[in-house]
């Protein structure tokens, strides 16, 4: 009887630990791979398309897009311009790195942070930063 109680106690402890772990849901919608964050918004983690002028979706499978993840759009030579939706608040490190032909980005007013090297090696003239955004490396507001 004591063995059964110990076994039940161990199983309950394991279940308690497993149910408290954060769960990351990954999915694919069209040309995008994304994860669902704990606040029930989407982080775009990869792009598989070949558009030259891209308007990012406001939602993916019903989840509002709030973040562009690390390296999500790195290296697509076809990409020339991007419109980022209004709910996006963060662009992660290297999100658009080495998009050689990317020269125009429409930033939303909701954007509060741009990661290091987010637009590194983009276009001949590069990308200008969005006013008011926080530089994650220095912690300073961009002009």
């Amino acid at each position: 009887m004591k063995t059964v109680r110990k076994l039940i106690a161990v199983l309950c402890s394991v279940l308690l630990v497993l149910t408290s772990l954060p769960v990351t849901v990954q999915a694919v919608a069209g040309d995008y791979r994304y994860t669902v964050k704990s606040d029930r918004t989407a982080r775009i983690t990869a792009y598989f398309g070949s558009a030259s002028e891209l308007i990012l979706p406001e939602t993916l499978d019903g989840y509002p897009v709030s973040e562009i993840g690390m390296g999500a759009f790195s290296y697509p030579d076809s990409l020339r311009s991007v419109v980022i939706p209004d709910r996006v608040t963060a662009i992660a490190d290297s999100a658009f790195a080495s998009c050689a032909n990317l020269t125009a980005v429409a930033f939303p007013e909701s954007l509060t942070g741009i990661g290091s090297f987010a637009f590194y090696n983009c276009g001949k003239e590069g990308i200008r930063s969005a006013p008011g955004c926080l530089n994650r490396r220095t912690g300073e507001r961009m002009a």
Side-chain angles (χ1 to χ4, degrees), residues 10-81:
V10 169
L11 288 174
C12 287
S13 297
V14 168
L15 285 174
L16 183 63
V17 168
L18 290 177
T19 58
S20 66
L21 294 175
V23 176
T24 302
V25 176
Q26 290 197 11
V28 174
D31 290 335
Y32 303 93
R33 182 173 54 222
Y34 68 95
T35 58
V36 178
K37 298 169 35 176
S38 61
D39 64 358
R40 310 278 297 156
T41 63
R43 173 189 300 119
I44 295 175
T45 58
Y47 173 67
F48 306 112
S50 59
S52 61
E53 296 179 359
L54 185 61
I55 298 174
L56 298 183
E58 299 249 345
T59 62
L60 291 168
D61 294 332
Y63 297 102
V65 174
S66 66
E67 186 178 337
I68 310 298
M70 182 182 289
F73 291 87
S74 294
Y75 297 102
D77 290 335
S78 62
L79 198 55
R80 297 184 187 289
S81 67

Side-chain angles (χ1 to χ4, degrees), residues 1-13:
M1 191 69 162
K2 285 185 178 184
T3 306
V4 172
R5 285 185 183 173
K6 284 182 182 179
L7 182 60
I8 290 173
V10 169
L11 288 174
C12 287
S13 297

Side-chain angles (χ1 to χ4, degrees), residues 73-131:
F73 291 87
S74 294
Y75 297 102
D77 290 335
S78 62
L79 198 55
R80 297 184 187 289
S81 67
V82 174
V83 176
I84 299 172
D86 288 334
R87 288 187 175 136
V88 172
T89 58
I91 298 174
D93 298 346
S94 305
F96 292 90
S98 297
C99 292
N101 296 309
L102 180 62
T103 57
V105 177
F107 296 102
E109 288 185 26
S110 59
L111 192 61
T112 58
I114 297 177
S116 299
F117 304 105
F119 295 94
Y120 177 75
N121 209 22
C122 287
K124 293 177 183 172
E125 297 171 19
I127 304 296
R128 298 187 196 277
S129 65

